[in-house]
Amino acid sequence: MARTKSSFRSVETPNNGFQISKPVFAILVLLFDAILVTLIISFVPYTKIDWDAYMSQVDGFLNGERDYTELKGDTGPLVYPAGFLYLYSLIKFITGAQVFPAQILFGVLYIINLAIVQLIYLKTDVVPWWAIVLLSLSKRVHSIFVLRLFNDCFAMTFLHTSLLFLLYQKWYLALIIFSAAVSIKMNVLLFAPSLLLLMLKAMSIKGVFLALFGATLLQVILGLPFLVSYPVEYISRAFNLGRVFIHFWSVNFKFVPEKIFVSKEFASALLFLHLLILLLFAHYKWSKHEGGLLRILRNWLNDSLSKLLSFQFVSCKSKIKTLNKEHIITVMFVGNFIGIVFARSLHYQFYSWYFYSLPFLLWKTSFPTIIRLILFFGVEICWNIFPSTLYSSLLLLSIHLIILWGLSIGPAEYPYIQEETSHSKEK
């Protein structure tokens, strides 16, 4: 049966019986973090990495350049989709390309993103009330947002917003926002396999088609100025899946010799493992209650064909089942984490891709709380060692694999809200 939990129950302290609701505690954490962010911006020196390159690339775009091979900065060519250019053009307009106003803007973004993630945690109610504070305890993530000003920050804020709309069953809007996140940075595509599976479980062929059409249309509209002028240059640069990162900056595979690290064989092996583990989780964990991934695909295809052959595509409902909130976030967070584990190179800003999912993932395992905390802070320590070493990268990979193993042996939540499931069966 579906597990029903209240995200807004009160928390009683053991000493004096004082009660505080989880949302109130989350707000207090948010206020504390806002003060912390203000202090960081005021007293910690800004670190110049990509900001000047971003501004140079935006200048080229604003000056009329549409050839992606000619949009460059001091750290290299532009490798992000068109949404990045529109976003940072707006940021340049707001900040005048000055670092300090941009830090304030990113500080506000940090708090907005944290509030969205907190709401996701409250809605799913997987972690205990006090564990919400873990979302504010990363030195590296604070740095990524307000001292480095990376585009990863906006991409992940859009992604988390998309997840929040999924929890409210707003699939079309969630897909549009997801597509917007992809247009800022392609790492968001690590969530795509999980999202597609959830769509197949919750939506009819009409719903899936319309959602994917809307997401694709946004990509076309954003990329249109480049697609009509230099389409090959745009697609090859903005959606380059074969980039080889510099071995020195790798946080997760520094222990691998550079010759092997840059080889196609190593990349192919990691891709194979990524897809294999995804399929195993999709079949044995995420589709367990439906009888496996193949049964989901077969039933969905059979239902879709019957609607097409009977000309019911237009009249059929877009949504056929309502998914459990915990199941939605579990599938999305775990799917992304699998991609993180087998990514050939994780740079320091990439920590923002999965940090906010770590408490959730750890509490989805059956580990004792002390082990969960050791793993959480172990990951944080590895990401704060600069430059990464053979031992720090080996430790990080080991912790990732331990968490992945814990997720694989943990119980699978029931995927549907019971009332909706019964209604669908009657249909």
Side-chain angles (χ1 to χ4, degrees):
M1 292 183 60
R3 179 167 45 167
T4 57
K5 299 179 290 187
S6 172
S7 301
F8 303 98
R9 61 172 177 246
S10 297
V11 176
E12 185 173 338
T13 58
N15 295 327
N16 55 13
F18 175 74
Q19 290 189 337
I20 181 172
S21 69
K22 291 182 72 173
V24 170
F25 179 76
I27 291 172
L28 291 175
V29 171
L30 198 68
L31 293 174
F32 163 80
D33 213 340
I35 295 172
L36 180 59
V37 166
T38 303
L39 294 174
I40 293 172
I41 295 174
S42 300
F43 298 106
V44 181
Y46 156 78
T47 306
K48 177 184 175 181
I49 299 181
D50 281 345
W51 174 256
D52 289 345
Y54 291 169
M55 292 299 100
S56 296
Q57 292 159 357
V58 164
D59 283 339
F61 168 64
L62 294 178
N63 290 332
E65 183 60 69
R66 297 297 180 263
D67 183 351
Y68 245 60
T69 61
E70 297 300 323
L71 292 173
K72 301 175 182 178
D74 56 9
T75 59
L78 177 60
V79 293
Y80 309 123
F84 163 85
L85 288 173
Y86 299 119
L87 173 64
Y88 273 80
S89 295
L90 177 61
I91 293 174
K92 181 179 181 180
F93 174 77
I94 294 173
T95 65
Q98 300 300 307
V99 169
F100 183 68
Q103 286 185 278
I104 296 174
L105 177 63
F106 274 77
V108 173
L109 178 71
Y110 174 91
I111 296 302
I112 292 173
N113 177 65
L114 179 59
I116 293 169
V117 174
Q118 284 184 343
L119 186 53
I120 290 172
Y121 273 66
L122 291 174
K123 287 292 181 181
T124 53
D125 202 22
V126 169
V127 305
W129 64 274
W130 57 267
I132 292 177
V133 76
L134 296 176
L135 298 169
S136 298
L137 297 185
S138 174
K139 175 184 176 183
R140 176 61 65 186
V141 171
H142 281 92
S143 174
I144 290 169
F145 270 80
V146 298
L147 299 180
R148 269 73 172 179
L149 315 179
F150 287 121
N151 61 328
D152 307 72
C153 306
F154 274 95
M156 293 311 299
T157 301
F158 273 79
L159 182 278
H160 292 142
T161 305
S162 174
L163 294 184
L164 188 60
F165 279 106
L166 287 180
L167 295 185
Y168 286 97
Q169 308 296 322
K170 305 297 183 182
W171 289 88
Y172 297 145
L173 184 55
L175 262 290
I176 293 295
I177 298 173
F178 181 88
S179 183
V182 172
S183 77
I184 299 170
K185 193 159 186 176
M186 273 206 313
N187 70 282
V188 176
L189 288 176
L190 289 175
F191 290 89
S194 297
L195 180 57
L196 179 59
L197 176 61
L198 293 174
M199 291 170 64
L200 294 179
K201 296 174 76 167
M203 307 177 78
S204 67
I205 182 174
K206 174 185 174 181
V208 171
F209 172 81
L210 292 177
L212 292 179
F213 177 79
T216 304
L217 182 61
L218 179 63
Q219 291 296 323
V220 173
I221 293 173
L222 293 175
L224 197 59
F226 310 97
L227 291 171
V228 299
S229 51
Y230 297 94
V232 175
E233 289 80 359
Y234 174 67
I235 295 173
S236 62
R237 284 295 179 90
F239 298 96
N240 182 6
L241 299 175
R243 291 174 60 199
V244 179
F245 292 99
I246 300 173
H247 180 258
F248 175 81
W249 295 108
S250 177
V251 181
N252 58 330
F253 281 118
K254 194 66 170 289
F255 64 90
V256 176
E258 185 172 4
K259 185 177 180 180
I260 297 176
F261 177 85
V262 300
S263 67
K264 291 184 178 180
E265 291 79 9
F266 185 59
S268 298
L270 290 174
L271 178 60
F272 172 78
L273 289 172
H274 179 191
L275 296 177
L276 175 63
I277 301 303
L278 265 181
L279 287 173
L280 290 175
F281 266 83
H283 183 72
Y284 292 105
K285 298 289 293 184
W286 305 334
S287 306
K288 177 181 178 181
H289 294 281
E290 295 92 345
L293 178 62
L294 294 179
R295 177 169 291 184
I296 286 179
L297 293 174
R298 184 172 62 249
N299 291 342
W300 190 85
L301 288 173
N302 289 338
D303 181 67
S304 299
L305 285 174
S306 66
K307 285 182 170 59
L308 288 173
L309 294 176
S310 59
F311 302 101
Q312 296 178 4
F313 175 80
V314 176
S315 61
C316 71
K317 291 184 177 180
S318 297
K319 189 178 74 171
I320 55 177
K321 292 183 179 180
T322 302
L323 295 178
N324 176 11
K325 292 180 175 62
E326 181 180 337
H327 182 66
I328 291 173
I329 299 303
T330 298
V331 173
M332 293 295 283
F333 277 173
V334 175
N336 176 64
F337 183 68
I338 293 171
I340 294 292
V341 173
F342 297 105
R344 173 156 55 164
S345 183
L346 296 176
H347 291 188
Y348 283 94
Q349 65 267 35
F350 297 179
Y351 189 28
S352 62
W353 296 2
Y354 76 109
F355 165 75
Y356 288 104
S357 68
L358 276 177
F360 185 95
L361 295 174
L362 288 167
W363 262 266
K364 285 296 294 183
T365 71
S366 300
F367 297 147
T369 297
I370 185 63
I371 300 299
R372 291 167 174 154
L373 293 176
I374 290 173
L375 293 173
F376 177 85
F377 288 108
V379 170
E380 177 68 18
I381 289 171
C382 290
W383 279 98
N384 281 282
I385 295 175
F386 179 83
S388 60
T389 66
L390 181 153
Y391 301 106
S392 67
S393 63
L394 188 58
L395 176 60
L396 180 62
L397 178 62
S398 300
I399 294 175
H400 282 172
L401 292 175
I402 291 171
I403 296 174
L404 190 60
W405 173 73
L407 291 168
S408 70
I409 63 173
E413 69 286 336
Y414 188 76
Y416 303 105
I417 293 178
Q418 186 183 10
E419 294 78 9
E420 190 72 12
T421 305
S422 302
H423 178 72
S424 298
K425 287 181 178 179
E426 291 175 5
K427 291 281 185 182

